[in-house]
Coordinates of all heavy atoms in Angstrom, one line a residue:
F1 N 145.6 35.1 93.6 CA 145.5 35.7 92.3 C 144.7 34.8 91.4 O 145.0 33.6 91.2 CB 146.9 35.9 91.8 CG 147.0 36.4 90.4 CD1 146.3 37.5 89.9 CD2 147.9 35.8 89.5 CE1 146.4 38.0 88.7 CE2 148.0 36.3 88.2 CZ 147.3 37.4 87.8
S2 N 143.5 35.2 91.0 CA 142.6 34.4 90.2 C 141.7 35.3 89.4 O 142.0 36.4 89.2 CB 141.8 33.5 91.2 OG 141.1 32.5 90.4
Y3 N 140.7 34.7 88.8 CA 139.7 35.5 88.0 C 138.3 35.3 88.6 O 138.0 34.3 89.3 CB 139.8 35.1 86.6 CG 139.6 33.7 86.3 CD1 138.3 33.1 86.1 CD2 140.6 32.8 86.2 CE1 138.1 31.8 85.8 CE2 140.5 31.4 86.0 CZ 139.2 30.9 85.8 OH 139.0 29.6 85.5
I4 N 137.4 36.2 88.3 CA 136.1 36.2 88.8 C 135.2 36.9 87.9 O 135.6 37.8 87.1 CB 136.0 36.8 90.3 CG1 134.8 36.5 91.0 CG2 136.3 38.3 90.2 CD1 134.8 36.9 92.5
D5 N 133.9 36.6 87.9 CA 132.9 37.3 87.1 C 132.8 38.7 87.5 O 132.9 39.1 88.7 CB 131.5 36.6 87.3 CG 131.4 35.2 86.7 OD1 132.4 34.8 86.1 OD2 130.4 34.5 87.0
V6 N 132.6 39.6 86.5 CA 132.5 41.0 86.8 C 131.2 41.4 87.4 O 131.0 42.6 87.7 CB 132.8 41.9 85.5 CG1 134.2 41.6 85.0 CG2 131.8 41.6 84.5
I7 N 130.3 40.5 87.7 CA 129.1 40.9 88.4 C 129.3 41.2 89.9 O 128.4 41.7 90.5 CB 128.0 39.8 88.2 CG1 128.5 38.4 88.9 CG2 127.6 39.6 86.8 CD1 127.4 37.4 88.9
F8 N 130.5 40.8 90.4 CA 130.7 41.0 91.8 C 131.3 42.4 92.0 O 131.9 43.0 91.1 CB 131.7 40.0 92.3 CG 131.1 38.6 92.3 CD1 131.5 37.7 91.3 CD2 130.3 38.2 93.3 CE1 130.9 36.4 91.2 CE2 129.7 36.9 93.2 CZ 130.0 36.0 92.2
T9 N 131.2 42.9 93.3 CA 131.7 44.2 93.6 C 133.1 44.0 94.3 O 133.2 43.3 95.3 CB 130.8 44.9 94.7 OG1 129.5 45.0 94.1 CG2 131.3 46.3 95.0
N10 N 134.1 44.5 93.6 CA 135.5 44.4 94.2 C 136.0 45.8 94.3 O 135.5 46.8 93.7 CB 136.4 43.6 93.2 CG 136.0 42.1 93.2 OD1 135.4 41.6 94.2 ND2 136.5 41.4 92.2
G11 N 137.1 45.9 95.0 CA 137.8 47.2 95.1 C 138.8 47.4 94.0 O 139.0 46.6 93.1
V12 N 139.5 48.6 94.1 CA 140.6 48.9 93.1 C 141.8 49.3 93.9 O 141.7 49.9 95.0 CB 140.2 49.9 92.1 CG1 139.1 49.4 91.2 CG2 139.8 51.2 92.8
R13 N 143.0 49.1 93.4 CA 144.2 49.7 93.9 C 144.9 50.4 92.7 O 145.5 49.8 91.9 CB 145.1 48.5 94.4 CG 144.4 47.9 95.6 CD 145.3 47.0 96.4 NE 146.1 47.8 97.3 CZ 147.0 47.3 98.2 NH1 147.1 46.1 98.3 NH2 147.7 48.1 98.9
P14 N 144.7 51.7 92.7 CA 145.3 52.4 91.5 C 146.8 52.4 91.4 O 147.5 52.1 92.4 CB 144.8 53.9 91.8 CG 144.1 53.9 93.0 CD 144.1 52.5 93.6
S15 N 147.3 52.6 90.2 CA 148.7 52.6 90.0 C 149.1 53.7 89.0 O 148.2 54.1 88.3 CB 149.3 51.3 89.5 OG 148.7 51.0 88.2
I16 N 150.3 54.2 89.1 CA 150.8 55.1 88.2 C 152.1 54.6 87.6 O 152.8 53.8 88.2 CB 151.0 56.5 88.8 CG1 152.0 56.4 90.0 CG2 149.7 57.1 89.3 CD1 152.5 57.8 90.5
S17 N 152.4 55.0 86.4 CA 153.7 54.7 85.7 C 154.6 55.9 85.7 O 154.1 57.0 85.5 CB 153.4 54.2 84.3 OG 152.7 53.0 84.3
L18 N 155.9 55.6 86.0 CA 156.8 56.7 86.1 C 157.9 56.6 85.0 O 158.2 55.4 84.6 CB 157.5 56.7 87.5 CG 156.6 56.8 88.7 CD1 157.4 56.6 90.0 CD2 155.9 58.1 88.7
K19 N 158.4 57.7 84.5 CA 159.5 57.7 83.6 C 160.7 57.1 84.3 O 160.9 57.3 85.5 CB 159.8 59.1 83.0 CG 158.6 59.6 82.2 CD 159.0 61.0 81.7 CE 157.9 61.6 80.9 NZ 158.2 63.0 80.5
S20 N 161.6 56.5 83.5 CA 162.8 55.9 84.1 C 163.8 57.0 84.7 O 164.6 56.7 85.5 CB 163.6 55.1 83.0 OG 164.0 56.0 81.9
T21 N 163.6 58.2 84.3 CA 164.4 59.3 84.8 C 163.9 59.9 86.1 O 164.5 60.8 86.7 CB 164.5 60.5 83.8 OG1 163.2 60.9 83.4 CG2 165.2 60.0 82.5
T22 N 162.8 59.4 86.6 CA 162.2 59.9 87.8 C 163.0 59.4 89.0 O 163.4 58.3 89.1 CB 160.7 59.4 88.0 OG1 160.0 59.8 86.8 CG2 160.1 59.9 89.2
N23 N 163.3 60.3 89.9 CA 164.0 60.0 91.1 C 163.1 59.6 92.2 O 162.1 60.3 92.6 CB 164.8 61.3 91.6 CG 165.7 60.9 92.8 OD1 166.2 59.8 92.9 ND2 165.9 61.9 93.6
V24 N 163.3 58.3 92.7 CA 162.4 57.8 93.8 C 163.3 57.4 94.9 O 164.3 56.7 94.8 CB 161.7 56.5 93.2 CG1 160.8 56.0 94.3 CG2 160.9 56.9 92.0

């Protein structure tokens, strides 16, 4: 886990937020 210049091409890992009442 670090930081890097945004000139590089990186991937993404999308995320979603759920309400506390959501059954998982």
Side-chain angles (χ1 to χ4, degrees):
F1 175 48
S2 192
Y3 56 89
I4 193 168
D5 293 350
V6 296
I7 61 171
F8 295 100
T9 303
N10 290 341
V12 295
R13 297 193 79 173
S15 65
I16 59 173
S17 295
L18 303 173
K19 294 179 182 179
S20 61
T21 56
T22 303
N23 184 32
V24 180

